[in-house]
Amino acid sequence: MKEEKIIVPANGYFMLFVFLVLFFGSIATIVALKTPWPIITIVLSLVMAFGFVMVQPNGSRVLLLFGKYVGTIKKNGFYWVNPFYTKKKISLRASNFDSERLKVNDKLGNPVMISTILVWRVQNTYKAAFDVDNYENFVRVQTDAAVRKLASMYPYDNFADEGHDEDITLRSSVNEVSEALEKEIDERLSIAGIEVLEARIGYLAYAQEIANAMLKRQQATAIVAARHKIVEGAVSMVEMAIQELNKNEIVELDEERKAAMVSNLMVVLCGDKEAAPVVNTGTLSH
C-alpha cells in the first residue's frame, strides 16, 4: 500500500465495557470458585487494554502492524484497535513556520536578507509518515531552499536608470511574489503530503554591507524625481507669467529683460530656501 487509507475502528466505549466485564468478572470468578483458570482471561483483558486509542479534533493516528501500514484514523473520538498495532500520532492542525533570515543574492546579484512566514498542515498522513524521514524538518529545509530560489528570480527593486526595468520586484510586487513563493513551496512539499495554506515574505532588506549605499541611492533617486517635478512646474509657471503679462499689456519686455525675469523666477521657484525680495525703487534699467 502506497496511499493513505482512512479507517474507522471499533467503538471504544463498547470495548471498554467488554474489558471491564472480562477483568472484574474474572476476578469475581477466582474469588467465588477458588480456581486459577480465569487468570488467563485477566491477562487477555490487560492485553486488550493496550488497544484503546483517543483521537482529538484535527488529529490522527497512523496504525502499523509489525511494520505494515494498516490505515489512518482521522475522525476524532474514542476507539479500540488491535493491541499489537503501533499507533503513530500526526497532527492535522495548521502550523506556522517563521524561517530564519537568509542572505541571498537577488537577480541583479545584490545581497539581500529575506525570510518567509509559512502556514501549512499535513494533508496525507501516509506520505508524511513514510515518504520522508522527518516531515517537520523537511518543511523547514525545503522552505529555505524555495526562498533562496525565489530571491534569485527577481530583483530587489527597479533600476530603470541602469537599464534594469523589471515588471516584478521583491519589494513592490508583494502579491505576485507571494503567489510564486507559495507555488514553489507547495511543489516541494507535496512529496511529504503537506498542504501549503499561505506563504508570504516576512522580512526583506538589503544586506548590511550595501544597505547604506542603497539607501543613499534611493534618496538620490527620490531627490532627482522631486527636482524634475519642481522644474516642470517652474517652467510652466514662468511661461504662464510671461503670457499673462503680454496678454494684459502690463509691461513690454525685450528679450534681455525676459531672460532676466525667467532667471529670477526659476531661482525663486526652484530654490530650497525662501527667496528674500529686493525692492527696486528705480527704473527697470537700474
Side-chain angles (χ1 to χ4, degrees):
M1 183 177 296
K2 295 184 179 181
E3 295 296 332
E4 182 183 61
K5 178 182 178 182
I6 307 300
I7 63 173
V8 180
N11 186 286
Y13 296 103
F14 175 76
M15 296 305 296
L16 179 61
F17 173 76
V18 174
F19 164 77
L20 294 175
V21 170
L22 291 176
F23 183 77
F24 291 104
S26 299
I27 294 177
T29 302
I30 293 175
V31 173
L33 301 179
K34 307 296 182 181
T35 176
W37 291 109
I39 294 178
I40 298 176
T41 308
I42 293 176
V43 173
L44 291 177
S45 64
L46 291 176
V47 173
M48 175 184 172
F50 290 98
F52 292 107
V53 59
M54 183 179 296
V55 180
Q56 297 179 352
N58 286 325
S60 69
R61 293 295 181 97
V62 177
L63 305 179
L64 299 174
L65 179 61
F66 303 120
K68 181 180 179 181
Y69 175 68
V70 177
T72 301
I73 308 173
K74 284 189 173 181
K75 186 177 180 181
N76 63 294
F78 183 57
Y79 302 103
W80 183 87
V81 297
N82 190 326
F84 296 100
Y85 283 172
T86 300
K87 300 173 280 291
K88 184 176 181 180
K89 185 177 181 180
I90 294 181
S91 175
L92 303 179
R93 298 182 178 93
S95 300
N96 282 320
F97 170 61
D98 189 1
S99 68
E100 297 181 358
R101 295 178 181 179
L102 305 174
K103 180 188 286 188
V104 296
N105 292 332
D106 68 356
K107 185 177 180 180
L108 303 180
N110 298 318
V112 298
M113 300 296 296
I114 187 173
S115 70
T116 184
I117 298 176
L118 176 67
V119 182
W120 61 277
R121 67 182 175 191
V122 175
Q123 187 179 42
N124 189 309
T125 57
Y126 179 88
K127 291 182 178 181
F130 306 115
D131 283 357
V132 294
D133 184 40
N134 185 324
Y135 67 90
E136 292 181 346
N137 183 64
F138 187 82
V139 170
R140 290 192 292 269
V141 174
Q142 292 301 320
T143 300
D144 289 346
V147 171
R148 291 181 182 276
K149 180 180 178 181
L150 179 82
S152 64
M153 294 171 58
Y154 304 107
Y156 179 91
D157 205 351
N158 266 322
F159 297 107
D161 54 338
E162 296 181 0
H164 302 291
D165 190 7
E166 300 286 343
D167 294 332
I168 300 177
T169 63
L170 296 174
R171 185 181 66 86
S172 59
S173 306
V174 178
N175 293 332
E176 292 81 356
V177 171
S178 296
E179 290 177 2
L181 178 62
E182 185 174 330
K183 181 180 179 181
E184 179 68 24
I185 297 177
D186 187 64
E187 290 177 356
R188 292 173 177 267
L189 298 185
S190 60
I191 187 177
I194 305 297
E195 178 187 7
V196 177
L197 301 178
E198 184 181 14
R200 292 200 173 266
I201 299 298
Y203 179 85
L204 180 65
Y206 280 114
Q208 186 175 1
E209 58 266 26
I210 67 167
N212 291 333
M214 287 301 178
L215 178 60
K216 292 179 180 178
R217 189 185 192 285
Q218 291 175 353
Q219 291 174 343
T221 302
I223 291 173
V224 170
R227 289 291 183 184
H228 181 72
K229 291 294 183 181
I230 291 173
V231 170
E232 284 185 350
V235 171
S236 176
M237 293 175 68
V238 170
E239 182 181 5
M240 180 181 65
I242 294 176
Q243 289 178 353
E244 290 297 323
L245 289 173
N246 292 332
K247 178 181 178 181
N248 297 328
E249 297 180 353
I250 296 175
V251 63
E252 293 184 3
L253 300 175
D254 56 18
E255 294 301 323
E256 183 179 354
R257 289 173 178 173
K258 283 184 181 180
M261 187 183 71
V262 169
S263 176
N264 293 334
L265 287 176
M266 290 297 292
V267 170
V268 171
L269 296 173
C270 297
D272 292 331
K273 299 180 180 179
E274 294 184 1
V278 177
V279 179
N280 185 4
T281 59
T283 65
L284 290 176
S285 302
H286 294 85

